[in-house]
């Protein structure tokens, strides 16, 4: 036995909700459970179909009135009065979704109406670049395999010298209506599959689709300052639309390769610089090459502690589509020598013998706290 869930419960609405509230709730739930966003998930597909069926009923005043009075029984055996057939199937749930979201399902159909071929699909291309290329920007060519407009029929899908004819089944509307009980149900036309036109003599090259598979090379301009996940849109370079419909877009997703020296946080570059404990104690200077090839001289103050961060303004990454640059932050890592000559050891012993504790205030404070803690 199949459990029938209340339509209002499916749409998370009160029974007294107005049309605007029901529509808004459906939009939110449809975006959440749409199959395109939950590829391969049967539960989401089933939930999307259920909420689409519920919305198709509740958005129509007559259907909603019948449902409020009779519940699900209104759609069994032609309605509460009996008869043959039911109105449970309201057509493809993608058609319901398309009424509200338009381009999310592939865009408006050619001609601006509901009939006509769909807009071509958007495509994705993943490109890896170096940090240096992200800093300076670059222009590069990419090769993609896409559906392109058929040159033989110029995208019409019909054999040269012929043209598509208006569908006689739906009169060019792409939809047909059928009476089921006391409801009128609208479905996609079975003859033209929603296009509104039929091709009697299809093109021999594209077999009536108006597009063929092609490999094409495109130039991509990567601007300075891009980051991991930056998306570049090439309008109209996606999949060609069916039978002359507009083409989709090509989206280039950028991935920045790991750099051996720098880490990145927005426009800030982070670098770790190991220095000897004598340099940390006495002070000094280190040189770090930036991703632009410029040498950055970092001054290390005397008495620098391990982990101290030194910031150089304006030496980081460029601001994407803006002005200025971020900062370069160098984290000092004081390195203790592992091998000493006899002379070096002698000097260190002399240093230790002359220490009073004031040279290392943090250590002195730490041991004083230990003494106090242990009484």
């Amino acid at each position: 036995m199949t459990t029938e869930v209340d339509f209002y419960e499916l749409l998370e609405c009160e029974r007294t909700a107005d049309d605007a509230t029901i529509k808004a709730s459906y939009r939110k739930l449809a975006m959440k459970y749409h199959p395109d966003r939950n590829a391969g998930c049967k539960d989401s597909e089933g939930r999307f179909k259920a909420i689409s069926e519920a919305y198709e009923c509740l958005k129509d005043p007559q259907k909603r009135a019948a449902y409020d009075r009779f519940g699900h029984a209104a759609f069994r055996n032609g309605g509460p009065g009996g008869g043959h057939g039911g109105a449970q199937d309201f057509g493809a749930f993608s058609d319901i979704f398309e009424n509200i979201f338009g381009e999310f399902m592939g865009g408006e159909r050619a001609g601006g109406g509901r009939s006509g071929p769909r807009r071509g699909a958007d495509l994705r291309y993943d490109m890896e670049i170096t940090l240096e290329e992200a800093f300076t920007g670059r222009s590069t060519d990419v090769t993609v395999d896409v559906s392109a407009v058929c040159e033989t029929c110029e995208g019409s899908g019909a054999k040269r010298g012929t043209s598509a004819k208006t569908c006689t089944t739906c009169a060019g509307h792409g939809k047909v209506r059928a009476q089921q009980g006391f409801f009128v149900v609208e479905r996609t036309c079975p003859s033209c599959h929603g296009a509104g036109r039929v091709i009697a003599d299809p093109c021999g090259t594209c077999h009536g689709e108006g597009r063929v598979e092609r490999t094409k090379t495109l130039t991509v301009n990567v601007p300075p300052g891009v980051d991991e996940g930056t998306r570049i849109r090439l309008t109209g370079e996606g999949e060609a639309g069916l039978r002359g419909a507009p083409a989709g877009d090509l989206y280039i997703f950028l991935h920045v390769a790991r750099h051996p020296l720098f880490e990145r946080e927005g426009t800030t570059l982070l670098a770790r610089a190991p220095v000897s404990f004598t340099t940390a104690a006495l002070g000094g200077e280190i040189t770090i090459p930036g991703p632009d090839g410029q040498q950055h001289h970092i001054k290390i103050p005397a008495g620098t502690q391990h982990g101290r961060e030194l910031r150089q303004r304006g030496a980081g990454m460029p601001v994407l589509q803006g002005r200025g640059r971020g900062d370069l932050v160098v984290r000092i890592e004081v390195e203790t020598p592992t091998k000493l000559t006899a002379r070096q050891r002698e000097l260190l012993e002399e240093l230790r013998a002359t220490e009073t504790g004031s040279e290392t205030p943090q250590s002195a404070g730490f041991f004083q706290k230990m003494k106090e803690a242990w009484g």
Side-chain angles (χ1 to χ4, degrees):
M1 181 178 293
T2 302
T3 302
E4 294 176 333
V5 183
D6 182 78
F7 283 168
Y8 292 97
E9 182 179 341
L10 279 171
L11 294 176
E12 301 179 2
C13 293
E14 300 291 337
R15 300 187 75 86
T16 55
D18 57 19
D19 293 343
T21 302
I22 291 176
K23 182 176 181 179
S25 182
Y26 171 70
R27 286 172 62 100
K28 180 181 71 173
L29 294 170
M31 290 290 287
K32 179 178 180 181
Y33 293 108
H34 192 273
D36 286 355
R37 293 193 166 188
N38 303 274
C41 180
K42 295 298 182 182
D43 290 341
S44 295
E45 182 177 338
R47 183 68 180 269
F48 180 80
K49 194 169 185 178
I51 61 176
S52 298
E53 178 184 328
Y55 177 70
E56 178 69 9
C57 170
L58 299 184
K59 75 173 184 178
D60 185 285
Q62 283 187 320
K63 294 178 185 178
R64 183 177 181 181
Y67 180 77
D68 288 344
R69 183 176 181 184
F70 301 106
H72 289 281
F75 310 119
R76 298 195 195 101
N77 301 321
H84 180 71
Q88 194 77 358
D89 179 11
F90 298 113
F93 55 76
S94 63
D95 290 335
I96 303 171
F97 191 76
E98 185 182 44
N99 280 335
I100 294 182
F101 294 102
E103 285 194 11
F104 184 80
M105 292 293 294
E108 300 238 347
R109 301 194 176 201
R114 286 295 312 274
S115 62
R118 290 180 184 269
R119 172 181 176 270
D122 294 334
L123 300 179
R124 170 174 178 154
Y125 184 94
D126 291 278
M127 177 191 296
E128 183 175 84
I129 61 175
T130 64
L131 182 66
E132 289 78 8
E133 291 170 334
F135 185 96
T136 60
R138 64 174 292 192
S139 179
T140 185
D141 292 337
V142 297
T143 301
V144 292
D145 295 324
V146 297
S147 295
V149 174
C150 175
E151 296 180 356
T152 304
C153 64
E154 298 179 344
S156 69
K159 187 176 180 180
R160 188 181 294 274
T162 66
S163 61
K165 305 295 183 182
T166 300
C167 177
T168 56
T169 304
C170 64
H173 297 293
K175 298 289 182 180
V176 293
R177 293 186 175 186
Q179 184 78 31
Q180 292 189 352
F182 50 84
F183 295 125
V184 176
V185 180
E186 187 180 69
R187 292 189 175 91
T188 300
C189 176
S191 299
C192 64
H193 305 290
R197 298 170 67 83
V198 293
I199 298 175
D201 196 359
C203 170
T205 302
C206 63
H207 306 290
E209 287 199 2
R211 57 188 182 183
V212 293
E213 292 296 322
R214 289 256 177 87
T215 298
K216 61 181 179 181
T217 301
L218 302 170
T219 299
V220 180
N221 294 314
V222 179
V226 294
D227 203 349
E228 176 70 25
T230 297
R231 186 180 69 174
I232 299 175
R233 177 183 180 184
L234 301 182
T235 305
E237 298 295 351
E239 185 180 76
L242 187 67
R243 298 174 188 171
D249 300 330
L250 174 64
Y251 290 92
I252 309 293
F253 283 79
L254 300 177
H255 304 280
V256 182
R258 186 180 183 88
H259 196 274
L261 177 61
F262 296 110
E263 296 178 11
R264 180 178 177 181
E265 293 182 0
T267 58
T268 301
L269 288 178
L270 305 174
R272 289 180 170 84
V275 300
S276 66
F277 75 97
T278 53
T279 301
L282 300 175
E285 184 178 276
I286 58 175
T287 301
I288 295 180
D292 57 349
Q294 181 180 350
Q295 300 294 323
H296 298 284
H297 303 286
I298 310 297
K299 291 185 177 181
I300 302 176
T304 295
Q305 299 297 311
H306 178 87
R308 180 175 179 178
E309 292 184 346
L310 304 176
R311 183 180 296 269
Q312 188 162 357
R313 302 288 183 182
M317 295 293 292
V319 178
L320 179 61
Q321 296 180 346
R323 294 181 178 180
R325 288 169 55 177
D327 300 335
L328 171 62
V329 176
V330 179
R331 186 177 189 272
I332 300 300
E333 297 183 346
V334 180
E335 186 176 17
T336 303
T338 56
K339 294 181 180 181
L340 294 172
T341 64
R343 177 55 180 161
Q344 289 171 334
R345 180 176 293 276
E346 181 182 351
L347 292 172
L348 288 178
E349 290 289 353
E350 291 179 8
L351 174 62
R352 181 162 61 178
T354 59
E355 287 179 343
T356 63
S358 60
E359 303 89 349
T360 55
Q362 291 186 15
S363 298
F366 172 76
F367 287 111
Q368 181 61 35
K369 290 178 182 179
M370 286 186 61
K371 290 179 181 180
E372 294 173 355
W374 291 99

